[in-house]
Amino acid sequence: QVQLVESGGGLVQPGGSLRVSCAASGFTFSSYYMTWVRQAPGKGLEWVSTINTDGDSTYYADSVKGRFTISRDNAKNTLYLQMNSLKPEDTALYYCTRVAVVAGTENLDYWGQGTQVTVSS
């Protein structure tokens, strides 16, 4: 079965860096776009970043552009999010999701359990 398992979250000071990872299994990882989504305390879901199958096209929310880098290692079935210059407003639960296209519409059909990132001094 499809599994997405995030890791690497934690507490970091403002201005610091953190890399979160997502180990994928149960499907052909290299065939799917992948996306990071986050949810801050008391707020809704926010799209963060998407990467294509080969890893040569990436997309970012304006709120993280220039600070976050999404990448993937298809040989290891792993998705990454490198987060630099972290701000308190980046505090959230970060989810790894798989992008599926159904009838021409993109859907996030599988989600991991999330990894908590807290930015605080």
mmCIF file with all atom_site columns, all heavy atoms in Angstrom, residues 65-83:
data_model
loop_
_atom_site.group_PDB
_atom_site.id
_atom_site.type_symbol
_atom_site.label_atom_id
_atom_site.label_alt_id
_atom_site.label_comp_id
_atom_site.label_asym_id
_atom_site.label_entity_id
_atom_site.label_seq_id
_atom_site.pdbx_PDB_ins_code
_atom_site.Cartn_x
_atom_site.Cartn_y
_atom_site.Cartn_z
_atom_site.occupancy
_atom_site.B_iso_or_equiv
_atom_site.pdbx_formal_charge
_atom_site.auth_seq_id
_atom_site.auth_comp_id
_atom_site.auth_asym_id
_atom_site.auth_atom_id
_atom_site.pdbx_PDB_model_num
ATOM 1   N N   . LYS A 1 65 ? 9.424  31.251 -1.345  1.00 0.00 ? 65 LYS A N   1
ATOM 2   C CA  . LYS A 1 65 ? 10.318 31.355 -2.500  1.00 0.00 ? 65 LYS A CA  1
ATOM 3   C C   . LYS A 1 65 ? 11.628 32.029 -2.100  1.00 0.00 ? 65 LYS A C   1
ATOM 4   O O   . LYS A 1 65 ? 11.628 33.049 -1.416  1.00 0.00 ? 65 LYS A O   1
ATOM 5   C CB  . LYS A 1 65 ? 9.619  32.134 -3.610  1.00 0.00 ? 65 LYS A CB  1
ATOM 6   C CG  . LYS A 1 65 ? 10.222 31.961 -4.987  1.00 0.00 ? 65 LYS A CG  1
ATOM 7   C CD  . LYS A 1 65 ? 9.346  32.642 -6.037  1.00 0.00 ? 65 LYS A CD  1
ATOM 8   C CE  . LYS A 1 65 ? 7.991  31.968 -6.153  1.00 0.00 ? 65 LYS A CE  1
ATOM 9   N NZ  . LYS A 1 65 ? 7.157  32.578 -7.214  1.00 0.00 ? 65 LYS A NZ  1
ATOM 10  N N   . GLY A 1 66 ? 12.717 31.430 -2.532  1.00 0.00 ? 66 GLY A N   1
ATOM 11  C CA  . GLY A 1 66 ? 14.032 31.966 -2.207  1.00 0.00 ? 66 GLY A CA  1
ATOM 12  C C   . GLY A 1 66 ? 14.604 31.470 -0.891  1.00 0.00 ? 66 GLY A C   1
ATOM 13  O O   . GLY A 1 66 ? 15.787 31.669 -0.604  1.00 0.00 ? 66 GLY A O   1
ATOM 14  N N   . ARG A 1 67 ? 13.768 30.826 -0.076  1.00 0.00 ? 67 ARG A N   1
ATOM 15  C CA  . ARG A 1 67 ? 14.222 30.307 1.223   1.00 0.00 ? 67 ARG A CA  1
ATOM 16  C C   . ARG A 1 67 ? 14.151 28.777 1.282   1.00 0.00 ? 67 ARG A C   1
ATOM 17  O O   . ARG A 1 67 ? 14.969 28.155 1.963   1.00 0.00 ? 67 ARG A O   1
ATOM 18  C CB  . ARG A 1 67 ? 13.373 30.892 2.354   1.00 0.00 ? 67 ARG A CB  1
ATOM 19  C CG  . ARG A 1 67 ? 13.420 32.396 2.448   1.00 0.00 ? 67 ARG A CG  1
ATOM 20  C CD  . ARG A 1 67 ? 12.688 32.905 3.693   1.00 0.00 ? 67 ARG A CD  1
ATOM 21  N NE  . ARG A 1 67 ? 11.264 32.549 3.700   1.00 0.00 ? 67 ARG A NE  1
ATOM 22  C CZ  . ARG A 1 67 ? 10.682 31.800 4.630   1.00 0.00 ? 67 ARG A CZ  1
ATOM 23  N NH1 . ARG A 1 67 ? 11.386 31.321 5.645   1.00 0.00 ? 67 ARG A NH1 1
ATOM 24  N NH2 . ARG A 1 67 ? 9.376  31.545 4.574   1.00 0.00 ? 67 ARG A NH2 1
ATOM 25  N N   . PHE A 1 68 ? 13.160 28.193 0.627   1.00 0.00 ? 68 PHE A N   1
ATOM 26  C CA  . PHE A 1 68 ? 12.961 26.747 0.656   1.00 0.00 ? 68 PHE A CA  1
ATOM 27  C C   . PHE A 1 68 ? 13.373 26.148 -0.688  1.00 0.00 ? 68 PHE A C   1
ATOM 28  O O   . PHE A 1 68 ? 13.207 26.781 -1.738  1.00 0.00 ? 68 PHE A O   1
ATOM 29  C CB  . PHE A 1 68 ? 11.493 26.406 0.910   1.00 0.00 ? 68 PHE A CB  1
ATOM 30  C CG  . PHE A 1 68 ? 10.993 26.687 2.299   1.00 0.00 ? 68 PHE A CG  1
ATOM 31  C CD1 . PHE A 1 68 ? 11.730 27.441 3.201   1.00 0.00 ? 68 PHE A CD1 1
ATOM 32  C CD2 . PHE A 1 68 ? 9.771  26.190 2.711   1.00 0.00 ? 68 PHE A CD2 1
ATOM 33  C CE1 . PHE A 1 68 ? 11.263 27.701 4.478   1.00 0.00 ? 68 PHE A CE1 1
ATOM 34  C CE2 . PHE A 1 68 ? 9.290  26.433 3.984   1.00 0.00 ? 68 PHE A CE2 1
ATOM 35  C CZ  . PHE A 1 68 ? 10.033 27.188 4.867   1.00 0.00 ? 68 PHE A CZ  1
ATOM 36  N N   . THR A 1 69 ? 13.865 24.911 -0.634  1.00 0.00 ? 69 THR A N   1
ATOM 37  C CA  . THR A 1 69 ? 14.217 24.178 -1.847  1.00 0.00 ? 69 THR A CA  1
ATOM 38  C C   . THR A 1 69 ? 13.652 22.766 -1.758  1.00 0.00 ? 69 THR A C   1
ATOM 39  O O   . THR A 1 69 ? 13.968 22.025 -0.818  1.00 0.00 ? 69 THR A O   1
ATOM 40  C CB  . THR A 1 69 ? 15.738 24.100 -2.034  1.00 0.00 ? 69 THR A CB  1
ATOM 41  O OG1 . THR A 1 69 ? 16.276 25.435 -2.092  1.00 0.00 ? 69 THR A OG1 1
ATOM 42  C CG2 . THR A 1 69 ? 16.080 23.383 -3.331  1.00 0.00 ? 69 THR A CG2 1
ATOM 43  N N   . ILE A 1 70 ? 12.840 22.415 -2.736  1.00 0.00 ? 70 ILE A N   1
ATOM 44  C CA  . ILE A 1 70 ? 12.304 21.060 -2.829  1.00 0.00 ? 70 ILE A CA  1
ATOM 45  C C   . ILE A 1 70 ? 13.208 20.244 -3.740  1.00 0.00 ? 70 ILE A C   1
ATOM 46  O O   . ILE A 1 70 ? 13.736 20.758 -4.732  1.00 0.00 ? 70 ILE A O   1
ATOM 47  C CB  . ILE A 1 70 ? 10.844 21.066 -3.340  1.00 0.00 ? 70 ILE A CB  1
ATOM 48  C CG1 . ILE A 1 70 ? 10.206 19.693 -3.202  1.00 0.00 ? 70 ILE A CG1 1
ATOM 49  C CG2 . ILE A 1 70 ? 10.774 21.583 -4.767  1.00 0.00 ? 70 ILE A CG2 1
ATOM 50  C CD1 . ILE A 1 70 ? 8.689  19.689 -3.517  1.00 0.00 ? 70 ILE A CD1 1
ATOM 51  N N   . SER A 1 71 ? 13.400 18.980 -3.398  1.00 0.00 ? 71 SER A N   1
ATOM 52  C CA  . SER A 1 71 ? 14.197 18.102 -4.244  1.00 0.00 ? 71 SER A CA  1
ATOM 53  C C   . SER A 1 71 ? 13.747 16.668 -4.024  1.00 0.00 ? 71 SER A C   1
ATOM 54  O O   . SER A 1 71 ? 12.967 16.383 -3.111  1.00 0.00 ? 71 SER A O   1
ATOM 55  C CB  . SER A 1 71 ? 15.697 18.247 -3.944  1.00 0.00 ? 71 SER A CB  1
ATOM 56  O OG  . SER A 1 71 ? 15.983 17.864 -2.610  1.00 0.00 ? 71 SER A OG  1
ATOM 57  N N   . ARG A 1 72 ? 14.238 15.781 -4.863  1.00 0.00 ? 72 ARG A N   1
ATOM 58  C CA  . ARG A 1 72 ? 13.882 14.377 -4.744  1.00 0.00 ? 72 ARG A CA  1
ATOM 59  C C   . ARG A 1 72 ? 15.038 13.512 -5.189  1.00 0.00 ? 72 ARG A C   1
ATOM 60  O O   . ARG A 1 72 ? 15.859 13.914 -6.020  1.00 0.00 ? 72 ARG A O   1
ATOM 61  C CB  . ARG A 1 72 ? 12.638 14.064 -5.562  1.00 0.00 ? 72 ARG A CB  1
ATOM 62  C CG  . ARG A 1 72 ? 12.811 14.219 -7.065  1.00 0.00 ? 72 ARG A CG  1
ATOM 63  C CD  . ARG A 1 72 ? 11.452 14.180 -7.783  1.00 0.00 ? 72 ARG A CD  1
ATOM 64  N NE  . ARG A 1 72 ? 10.757 12.912 -7.591  1.00 0.00 ? 72 ARG A NE  1
ATOM 65  C CZ  . ARG A 1 72 ? 9.451  12.748 -7.790  1.00 0.00 ? 72 ARG A CZ  1
ATOM 66  N NH1 . ARG A 1 72 ? 8.704  13.777 -8.176  1.00 0.00 ? 72 ARG A NH1 1
ATOM 67  N NH2 . ARG A 1 72 ? 8.894  11.568 -7.614  1.00 0.00 ? 72 ARG A NH2 1
ATOM 68  N N   . ASP A 1 73 ? 15.074 12.304 -4.629  1.00 0.00 ? 73 ASP A N   1
ATOM 69  C CA  . ASP A 1 73 ? 16.031 11.288 -5.042  1.00 0.00 ? 73 ASP A CA  1
ATOM 70  C C   . ASP A 1 73 ? 15.213 10.063 -5.450  1.00 0.00 ? 73 ASP A C   1
ATOM 71  O O   . ASP A 1 73 ? 14.750 9.307  -4.583  1.00 0.00 ? 73 ASP A O   1
ATOM 72  C CB  . ASP A 1 73 ? 16.984 10.964 -3.892  1.00 0.00 ? 73 ASP A CB  1
ATOM 73  C CG  . ASP A 1 73 ? 18.093 10.013 -4.311  1.00 0.00 ? 73 ASP A CG  1
ATOM 74  O OD1 . ASP A 1 73 ? 17.904 9.242  -5.274  1.00 0.00 ? 73 ASP A OD1 1
ATOM 75  O OD2 . ASP A 1 73 ? 19.144 10.011 -3.654  1.00 0.00 ? 73 ASP A OD2 1
ATOM 76  N N   . ASN A 1 74 ? 15.014 9.893  -6.738  1.00 0.00 ? 74 ASN A N   1
ATOM 77  C CA  . ASN A 1 74 ? 14.165 8.798  -7.201  1.00 0.00 ? 74 ASN A CA  1
ATOM 78  C C   . ASN A 1 74 ? 14.789 7.429  -6.935  1.00 0.00 ? 74 ASN A C   1
ATOM 79  O O   . ASN A 1 74 ? 14.076 6.437  -6.794  1.00 0.00 ? 74 ASN A O   1
ATOM 80  C CB  . ASN A 1 74 ? 13.852 8.966  -8.678  1.00 0.00 ? 74 ASN A CB  1
ATOM 81  C CG  . ASN A 1 74 ? 12.845 10.078 -8.934  1.00 0.00 ? 74 ASN A CG  1
ATOM 82  O OD1 . ASN A 1 74 ? 12.106 10.494 -8.041  1.00 0.00 ? 74 ASN A OD1 1
ATOM 83  N ND2 . ASN A 1 74 ? 12.812 10.568 -10.170 1.00 0.00 ? 74 ASN A ND2 1
ATOM 84  N N   . ALA A 1 75 ? 16.094 7.359  -6.854  1.00 0.00 ? 75 ALA A N   1
ATOM 85  C CA  . ALA A 1 75 ? 16.759 6.090  -6.544  1.00 0.00 ? 75 ALA A CA  1
ATOM 86  C C   . ALA A 1 75 ? 16.473 5.662  -5.102  1.00 0.00 ? 75 ALA A C   1
ATOM 87  O O   . ALA A 1 75 ? 16.462 4.470  -4.791  1.00 0.00 ? 75 ALA A O   1
ATOM 88  C CB  . ALA A 1 75 ? 18.254 6.207  -6.775  1.00 0.00 ? 75 ALA A CB  1
ATOM 89  N N   . LYS A 1 76 ? 16.253 6.652  -4.231  1.00 0.00 ? 76 LYS A N   1
ATOM 90  C CA  . LYS A 1 76 ? 15.983 6.362  -2.819  1.00 0.00 ? 76 LYS A CA  1
ATOM 91  C C   . LYS A 1 76 ? 14.502 6.519  -2.464  1.00 0.00 ? 76 LYS A C   1
ATOM 92  O O   . LYS A 1 76 ? 14.125 6.367  -1.303  1.00 0.00 ? 76 LYS A O   1
ATOM 93  C CB  . LYS A 1 76 ? 16.814 7.294  -1.932  1.00 0.00 ? 76 LYS A CB  1
ATOM 94  C CG  . LYS A 1 76 ? 18.311 7.070  -2.050  1.00 0.00 ? 76 LYS A CG  1
ATOM 95  C CD  . LYS A 1 76 ? 19.069 7.988  -1.091  1.00 0.00 ? 76 LYS A CD  1
ATOM 96  C CE  . LYS A 1 76 ? 20.568 7.735  -1.165  1.00 0.00 ? 76 LYS A CE  1
ATOM 97  N NZ  . LYS A 1 76 ? 21.321 8.635  -0.241  1.00 0.00 ? 76 LYS A NZ  1
ATOM 98  N N   . ASN A 1 77 ? 13.672 6.847  -3.456  1.00 0.00 ? 77 ASN A N   1
ATOM 99  C CA  . ASN A 1 77 ? 12.234 7.054  -3.199  1.00 0.00 ? 77 ASN A CA  1
ATOM 100 C C   . ASN A 1 77 ? 12.009 8.055  -2.065  1.00 0.00 ? 77 ASN A C   1
ATOM 101 O O   . ASN A 1 77 ? 11.175 7.834  -1.168  1.00 0.00 ? 77 ASN A O   1
ATOM 102 C CB  . ASN A 1 77 ? 11.543 5.735  -2.860  1.00 0.00 ? 77 ASN A CB  1
ATOM 103 C CG  . ASN A 1 77 ? 11.470 4.796  -4.048  1.00 0.00 ? 77 ASN A CG  1
ATOM 104 O OD1 . ASN A 1 77 ? 11.616 5.220  -5.191  1.00 0.00 ? 77 ASN A OD1 1
ATOM 105 N ND2 . ASN A 1 77 ? 11.254 3.517  -3.778  1.00 0.00 ? 77 ASN A ND2 1
ATOM 106 N N   . THR A 1 78 ? 12.724 9.147  -2.127  1.00 0.00 ? 78 THR A N   1
ATOM 107 C CA  . THR A 1 78 ? 12.676 10.124 -1.045  1.00 0.00 ? 78 THR A CA  1
ATOM 108 C C   . THR A 1 78 ? 12.508 11.535 -1.582  1.00 0.00 ? 78 THR A C   1
ATOM 109 O O   . THR A 1 78 ? 13.141 11.924 -2.561  1.00 0.00 ? 78 THR A O   1
ATOM 110 C CB  . THR A 1 78 ? 13.938 10.042 -0.174  1.00 0.00 ? 78 THR A CB  1
ATOM 111 O OG1 . THR A 1 78 ? 14.070 8.716  0.338   1.00 0.00 ? 78 THR A OG1 1
ATOM 112 C CG2 . THR A 1 78 ? 13.847 10.999 1.007   1.00 0.00 ? 78 THR A CG2 1
ATOM 113 N N   . LEU A 1 79 ? 11.650 12.274 -0.904  1.00 0.00 ? 79 LEU A N   1
ATOM 114 C CA  . LEU A 1 79 ? 11.383 13.683 -1.196  1.00 0.00 ? 79 LEU A CA  1
ATOM 115 C C   . LEU A 1 79 ? 11.967 14.519 -0.058  1.00 0.00 ? 79 LEU A C   1
ATOM 116 O O   . LEU A 1 79 ? 11.937 14.101 1.111   1.00 0.00 ? 79 LEU A O   1
ATOM 117 C CB  . LEU A 1 79 ? 9.872  13.913 -1.273  1.00 0.00 ? 79 LEU A CB  1
ATOM 118 C CG  . LEU A 1 79 ? 9.373  15.330 -1.504  1.00 0.00 ? 79 LEU A CG  1
ATOM 119 C CD1 . LEU A 1 79 ? 9.657  15.764 -2.945  1.00 0.00 ? 79 LEU A CD1 1
ATOM 120 C CD2 . LEU A 1 79 ? 7.865  15.403 -1.214  1.00 0.00 ? 79 LEU A CD2 1
ATOM 121 N N   . TYR A 1 80 ? 12.490 15.693 -0.401  1.00 0.00 ? 80 TYR A N   1
ATOM 122 C CA  . TYR A 1 80 ? 13.112 16.559 0.598   1.00 0.00 ? 80 TYR A CA  1
ATOM 123 C C   . TYR A 1 80 ? 12.538 17.967 0.528   1.00 0.00 ? 80 TYR A C   1
ATOM 124 O O   . TYR A 1 80 ? 12.041 18.411 -0.507  1.00 0.00 ? 80 TYR A O   1
ATOM 125 C CB  . TYR A 1 80 ? 14.623 16.647 0.373   1.00 0.00 ? 80 TYR A CB  1
ATOM 126 C CG  . TYR A 1 80 ? 15.341 15.327 0.387   1.00 0.00 ? 80 TYR A CG  1
ATOM 127 C CD1 . TYR A 1 80 ? 15.693 14.689 -0.806  1.00 0.00 ? 80 TYR A CD1 1
ATOM 128 C CD2 . TYR A 1 80 ? 15.674 14.705 1.579   1.00 0.00 ? 80 TYR A CD2 1
ATOM 129 C CE1 . TYR A 1 80 ? 16.351 13.478 -0.806  1.00 0.00 ? 80 TYR A CE1 1
ATOM 130 C CE2 . TYR A 1 80 ? 16.340 13.486 1.596   1.00 0.00 ? 80 TYR A CE2 1
ATOM 131 C CZ  . TYR A 1 80 ? 16.673 12.880 0.391   1.00 0.00 ? 80 TYR A CZ  1
ATOM 132 O OH  . TYR A 1 80 ? 17.328 11.675 0.404   1.00 0.00 ? 80 TYR A OH  1
ATOM 133 N N   . LEU A 1 81 ? 12.662 18.670 1.636   1.00 0.00 ? 81 LEU A N   1
ATOM 134 C CA  . LEU A 1 81 ? 12.389 20.107 1.663   1.00 0.00 ? 81 LEU A CA  1
ATOM 135 C C   . LEU A 1 81 ? 13.458 20.746 2.543   1.00 0.00 ? 81 LEU A C   1
ATOM 136 O O   . LEU A 1 81 ? 13.478 20.530 3.761   1.00 0.00 ? 81 LEU A O   1
ATOM 137 C CB  . LEU A 1 81 ? 10.998 20.411 2.207   1.00 0.00 ? 81 LEU A CB  1
ATOM 138 C CG  . LEU A 1 81 ? 10.598 21.891 2.137   1.00 0.00 ? 81 LEU A CG  1
ATOM 139 C CD1 . LEU A 1 81 ? 10.431 22.327 0.677   1.00 0.00 ? 81 LEU A CD1 1
ATOM 140 C CD2 . LEU A 1 81 ? 9.289  22.138 2.906   1.00 0.00 ? 81 LEU A CD2 1
ATOM 141 N N   . GLN A 1 82 ? 14.362 21.471 1.898   1.00 0.00 ? 82 GLN A N   1
ATOM 142 C CA  . GLN A 1 82 ? 15.392 22.214 2.620   1.00 0.00 ? 82 GLN A CA  1
ATOM 143 C C   . GLN A 1 82 ? 14.845 23.600 2.941   1.00 0.00 ? 82 GLN A C   1
ATOM 144 O O   . GLN A 1 82 ? 14.421 24.324 2.031   1.00 0.00 ? 82 GLN A O   1
ATOM 145 C CB  . GLN A 1 82 ? 16.658 22.338 1.771   1.00 0.00 ? 82 GLN A CB  1
ATOM 146 C CG  . GLN A 1 82 ? 17.753 23.182 2.396   1.00 0.00 ? 82 GLN A CG  1
ATOM 147 C CD  . GLN A 1 82 ? 18.355 22.547 3.633   1.00 0.00 ? 82 GLN A CD  1
ATOM 148 O OE1 . GLN A 1 82 ? 18.621 21.342 3.648   1.00 0.00 ? 82 GLN A OE1 1
ATOM 149 N NE2 . GLN A 1 82 ? 18.577 23.334 4.677   1.00 0.00 ? 82 GLN A NE2 1
ATOM 150 N N   . MET A 1 83 ? 14.833 23.941 4.215   1.00 0.00 ? 83 MET A N   1
ATOM 151 C CA  . MET A 1 83 ? 14.251 25.200 4.661   1.00 0.00 ? 83 MET A CA  1
ATOM 152 C C   . MET A 1 83 ? 15.338 26.056 5.303   1.00 0.00 ? 83 MET A C   1
ATOM 153 O O   . MET A 1 83 ? 15.939 25.654 6.299   1.00 0.00 ? 83 MET A O   1
ATOM 154 C CB  . MET A 1 83 ? 13.128 24.920 5.656   1.00 0.00 ? 83 MET A CB  1
ATOM 155 C CG  . MET A 1 83 ? 12.025 24.049 5.077   1.00 0.00 ? 83 MET A CG  1
ATOM 156 S SD  . MET A 1 83 ? 10.695 23.712 6.248   1.00 0.00 ? 83 MET A SD  1
ATOM 157 C CE  . MET A 1 83 ? 11.513 22.556 7.317   1.00 0.00 ? 83 MET A CE  1
#
